[in-house]
Amino acid sequence: MVMVDFEEIKDKISEGQEIEEVLKKFNWKEFEDFITEIFRSNGFTVKQNFRFKTNSRHEIDLLAVRNKLVLCIDCKEWNRGRYKKTGLKYAARNQEKRLGELRKFLKKNPIATGILNVDANSNFYPLIVTLFEEDLTKERDTIVIPVWKLNLFLLEMDNYLH
């Protein structure tokens, strides 16, 4: 398994390389690891590839928890393309469905709520973090964040979540 060298990434970005160019050389797992590190550096506890079952099996790429805030994150390494808007709509709809199933699962599973440190008063939000996206947008109820704006989003989250 190849470990992501976060210092090397920081150095390349400091040298003027675009984050998109640096990260597009990574596979999907390394991309998820990088996103996980950004959330952890902003005070979140992160569970990667959270699998659960309601009527069917589900997986959420990342669950980031801080206090009463639970962010359900889908990481997408999409390239720019003409079908991106359709893909975002589809991905947002699926992420919202997974979030709904997660809530059902947690209501019936006190062990999982304890492990995740969430409860009935927790606030859940669906997010998609993409490699290529021009701007931070909202698709349905899902916030779509380009990786290069993720840290800023986390610092100013209260302006986006309500």
Side-chain angles (χ1 to χ4, degrees):
M1 180 169 99
V2 177
M3 294 298 294
V4 177
D5 185 346
F6 297 104
E7 290 304 317
E8 182 182 346
I9 294 168
K10 288 178 191 175
D11 290 344
K12 287 181 179 185
I13 293 169
S14 295
E15 293 168 2
Q17 291 186 34
E18 295 288 327
I19 191 170
E20 294 167 337
E21 291 302 312
V22 175
L23 294 180
K24 77 178 183 181
K25 297 173 184 141
F26 291 175
N27 65 35
W28 66 269
K29 176 66 174 125
E30 292 166 327
F31 183 67
E32 284 183 6
D33 290 345
F34 182 73
I35 302 305
T36 296
E37 184 60 28
I38 293 172
F39 277 95
R40 285 188 177 143
S41 69
N42 280 279
F44 286 85
T45 301
V46 181
K47 302 285 185 202
Q48 287 185 275
N49 308 112
F50 186 78
R51 293 177 183 98
F52 61 97
K53 184 177 179 184
T54 51
N55 293 335
S56 59
R57 295 185 187 279
H58 305 278
E59 181 177 326
I60 296 176
D61 290 346
L62 307 174
L63 280 177
V65 180
R66 185 175 70 191
N67 302 323
K68 297 292 182 187
L69 178 64
V70 182
L71 302 177
C72 301
I73 303 139
D74 192 18
C75 299
K76 295 290 185 196
E77 266 194 299
W78 288 333
N79 290 320
R80 292 181 176 100
R82 80 183 225 208
Y83 299 110
K84 182 177 63 181
K85 188 69 174 167
T86 302
L88 280 175
K89 286 180 182 182
Y90 179 77
R93 184 173 56 245
N94 285 339
Q95 188 68 351
E96 290 166 19
K97 285 179 184 177
R98 280 189 291 270
L99 176 55
E101 293 300 314
L102 176 65
R103 286 181 169 167
K104 288 181 199 174
F105 171 76
L106 292 173
K107 281 183 184 178
K108 296 178 180 180
N109 195 320
I111 294 172
T113 57
I115 291 170
L116 294 173
N117 197 26
V118 299
D119 61 32
N121 296 319
S122 296
N123 296 308
F124 291 79
Y125 295 95
L127 303 180
I128 296 174
V129 178
T130 65
L131 181 57
F132 293 111
E133 178 62 38
E134 290 74 35
D135 204 2
L136 190 142
T137 62
K138 193 166 187 181
E139 189 61 51
R140 298 173 46 107
D141 291 327
T142 302
I143 298 172
V144 181
I145 308 161
V147 66
W148 59 275
K149 285 194 172 185
L150 181 56
N151 199 55
L152 180 63
F153 168 80
L154 293 172
L155 293 172
E156 298 179 353
M157 235 180 341
D158 293 341
N159 296 332
Y160 299 100
L161 304 178
H162 35 288

